[in-house]
């Protein structure tokens, strides 16, 4: 296992840090409000950073998302790369890749995903005249068997709703898993697709997705859902690592320059201990994320590792952003202060990834079942359709996080 960035990954990360640092400043973010930063997204795409993910892999994307998280930049980088470039690159057929990937690389198209799936939330209609609210709209009988065996690129009608989908207001395509966890790519401007804006804790341009007989294009085989979910959990954990690092950096800067009783706040033991715990939590998020991303790129089983990274990002990330705000004292509660933005992003990522107890329950079930879930599929640079790989691998996480239940690192 080697997390040392390649020359290409390092160059992309440095370029991303420069662009995010120059354009995603506190002053510009304050002016944006809750809107997406169109100028920044254009700059990132002009620099070729979304497209670079196809070469640098999920680990390369994790490095880029850390830089985004440090500045809480309001662009759909994680969603479009994971649910668009990586998912289509890994699971799309040759025609889908040729048709869809150029627009995603250039930023002309934006993808997002209605993940994770909730059983029965979206159903696939199996025949003409289905969708009447009875069994006709569900996947059953010979119709379900036909859909299950349908090739990538086949179409079907989808009905159902998803309460919150991040960046849906900006998306041209949304990747939707149905009740059987088959993936369908839906154009957001098609008939039967409705988007209703939803305000979330962080400004993610989210919306409620409602499908009423909308046309969906199948993406991938039986392993596609598990592989995409593992990649998404890893990517959003990387974003949380950056959010935490940015929050901690601001706290360190504040406590070393702010004086109380003639000496810097950072000389107080209580402050030092809180900062040290936050640093260890941030590193735990980072190392478990890197491990999951590395295994994904190496086409090794990574479902448990992605869950471990998500658990650390949810539980430890929540602690870190609370610490960052607390160490700023009263000004940390000012909604106009930059550290408050990190707090909001940290809590939004905590909610998006799922609570620690939910993630631990899923991780425990996965480890106990020993089932193959095909989530070791690598999609960053694969030009062929991914086939199944074993998804359970015993004890997970470089730092032993999978057995934790809420303690500090």
């Amino acid at each position: 296992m080697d997390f040392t960035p390649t020359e290409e990954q390092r160059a992309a990360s440095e370029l991303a840090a420069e662009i995010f640092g120059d354009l995603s400043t506190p002053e510009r973010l304050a002016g944006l409000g809750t809107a997406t930063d169109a100028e920044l997204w254009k700059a990132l795409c002009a620099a070729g950073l979304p497209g670079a993910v196809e070469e640098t892999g999920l680990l390369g994307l994790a490095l880029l998302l850390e830089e985004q998280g440090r500045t809480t930049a309001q662009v759909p980088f994680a969603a479009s790369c994971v649910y668009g470039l990586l998912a289509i690159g890994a699971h799309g057929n040759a025609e889908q890749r040729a048709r869809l990937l150029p627009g995603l690389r250039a930023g002309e198209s934006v993808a997002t995903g209605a993940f994770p799936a909730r059983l029965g939330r979206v159903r696939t209609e199996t025949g003409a005249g289905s969708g009447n609210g009875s069994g006709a709209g569900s996947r059953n009988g010979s119709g379900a068997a036909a859909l299950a065996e349908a090739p990538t690129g086949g179409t079907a009608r989808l009905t159902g709703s998803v309460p919150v989908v991040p960046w849906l207001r900006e998306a041209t395509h949304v990747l939707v898993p149905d009740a059987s966890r088959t993936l369908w790519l839906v154009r957001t401007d098609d008939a039967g697709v409705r988007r209703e804006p939803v305000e979330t804790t962080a400004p993610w341009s989210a919306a409620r997705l409602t499908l009423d007989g909308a046309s969906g294009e199948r993406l991938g085989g039986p392993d596609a859902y598990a592989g995409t979910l593992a990649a998404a959990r890893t990517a959003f954990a990387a974003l949380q690592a950056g959010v935490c690092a940015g929050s901690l950096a601001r706290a360190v800067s504040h406590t070393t320059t702010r004086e109380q009783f003639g000496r810097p706040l950072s000389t107080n033991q209580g402050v030092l201990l809180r900062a040290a715990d936050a640093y260890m939590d941030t590193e735990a998020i980072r190392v478990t994320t890197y491990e999951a991303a590395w295994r994904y790129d190496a086409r090794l089983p990574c479902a448990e590792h992605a869950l471990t990274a998500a658990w650390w990002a949810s539980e430890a990330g929540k602690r870190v952003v609370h610490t960052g705000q607390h160490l700023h004292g009263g000004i940390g509660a000012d909604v106009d202060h930059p550290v408050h933005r990190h707090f909001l992003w940290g809590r939004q990522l905590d909610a998006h990834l799922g609570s620690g107890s939910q993630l631990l329950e899923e991780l425990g079930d996965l480890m106990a079942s020993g089932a193959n879930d095909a989530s070791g599929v690598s999609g960053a640079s694969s030009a062929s359709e991914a086939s199944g790989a074993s998804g359970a691998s015993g004890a997970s996480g470089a730092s032993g996080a999978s057995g934790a239940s809420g303690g500090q690192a």
Side-chain angles (χ1 to χ4, degrees), residues 1-394:
M1 199 182 319
D2 184 5
F3 302 153
T4 304
T6 64
E7 183 178 343
E8 291 79 8
Q9 289 171 339
R10 185 179 293 106
S13 178
E14 291 173 354
L15 178 58
E18 181 180 347
I19 295 174
F20 283 125
D22 288 346
L23 294 182
S24 187
T25 61
E27 294 76 20
R28 289 195 72 248
L29 288 169
L32 284 170
T34 61
T36 298
D37 194 336
E39 181 182 345
L40 174 56
W41 182 239
K42 183 178 179 181
L44 292 168
C45 294
L49 288 176
V53 172
E54 296 175 272
E55 300 298 327
T56 61
L58 185 56
L59 183 55
L61 175 59
L63 297 174
L64 300 181
L65 291 175
E66 278 193 69
E67 299 304 331
Q68 179 187 357
R70 290 177 196 273
T71 60
T72 61
Q74 293 171 198
V75 288
F77 205 162
S80 198
C81 287
V82 168
Y83 300 122
L85 286 162
L86 293 186
I88 294 169
H91 307 295
N93 59 31
E95 188 277 331
Q96 287 174 319
R97 293 194 299 271
R99 170 167 48 90
L100 298 169
L101 291 180
L104 290 166
R105 294 185 193 115
E108 297 165 356
S109 301
V110 174
T112 188
F115 276 66
R118 294 290 186 267
L119 188 61
R121 183 170 285 174
V122 174
R123 63 187 185 274
T124 308
E125 300 177 2
T126 57
S130 61
N132 57 7
S134 63
S138 61
R139 297 185 57 170
N140 51 30
S142 60
L147 282 171
E149 296 173 1
T152 294
T155 60
R157 295 289 175 180
L158 306 178
T159 297
S161 64
V162 182
V164 181
V165 179
W167 303 107
L168 183 60
R169 282 182 260 170
E170 307 298 329
T172 57
H173 298 79
V174 56
L175 194 60
V176 181
D178 65 14
S180 67
R181 298 186 175 182
T182 299
L183 295 186
W184 303 93
L185 194 63
V186 177
R187 287 192 59 90
T188 57
D189 59 357
D190 277 357
V193 180
R194 187 167 74 253
R195 293 176 287 176
E196 302 169 78
V198 173
E199 295 303 326
T200 54
T201 303
W204 282 11
S205 294
R208 176 185 178 88
L209 174 67
T210 302
L211 304 173
D212 185 10
S215 177
E217 176 182 359
R218 180 162 181 175
L219 187 71
D223 63 305
Y225 172 79
T228 303
L229 178 59
R233 281 173 166 159
T234 303
F236 282 98
L239 190 58
Q240 182 76 300
V243 169
C244 292
S247 176
L248 184 57
R250 291 190 180 280
V252 169
S253 175
H254 174 77
T255 56
T256 53
T257 56
R258 184 78 170 229
E259 292 189 354
Q260 186 178 59
F261 304 118
R263 62 178 186 172
L265 289 172
S266 59
T267 60
N268 294 322
Q269 186 179 41
V271 172
L272 290 171
L273 291 174
R274 287 293 300 274
D277 284 343
Y279 173 79
M280 293 302 295
D281 273 338
T282 302
E283 289 302 298
I285 299 170
R286 180 179 286 117
V287 72
T288 52
T289 297
Y290 286 1
E291 181 181 13
W294 179 84
R295 293 182 68 89
Y296 180 93
D297 290 338
R299 301 178 66 85
L300 295 171
C302 62
E304 295 175 10
H305 306 79
L307 275 165
T308 300
W311 182 87
W312 275 103
S314 177
E315 288 291 291
K318 183 165 47 184
R319 291 195 295 264
V320 173
V321 296
H322 274 268
T323 293
Q325 191 172 37
H326 188 196
L327 292 181
H328 277 77
I331 64 173
D334 182 356
V335 295
D336 294 323
H337 195 280
V339 78
H340 190 73
R341 187 178 300 274
H342 289 271
F343 174 79
L344 295 177
W345 274 68
R347 293 314 308 261
Q348 181 63 41
L349 283 161
D350 163 39
H352 181 70
L353 289 165
S355 70
S357 59
Q358 290 174 325
L359 294 168
L360 280 182
E361 181 180 8
E362 186 176 345
L363 178 59
D365 289 343
L366 180 63
M367 295 176 69
S369 69
N372 295 334
D373 70 349
S375 59
V377 175
S378 173
S381 58
S382 172
S384 61
E385 290 194 42
S387 58
S390 173
S393 62

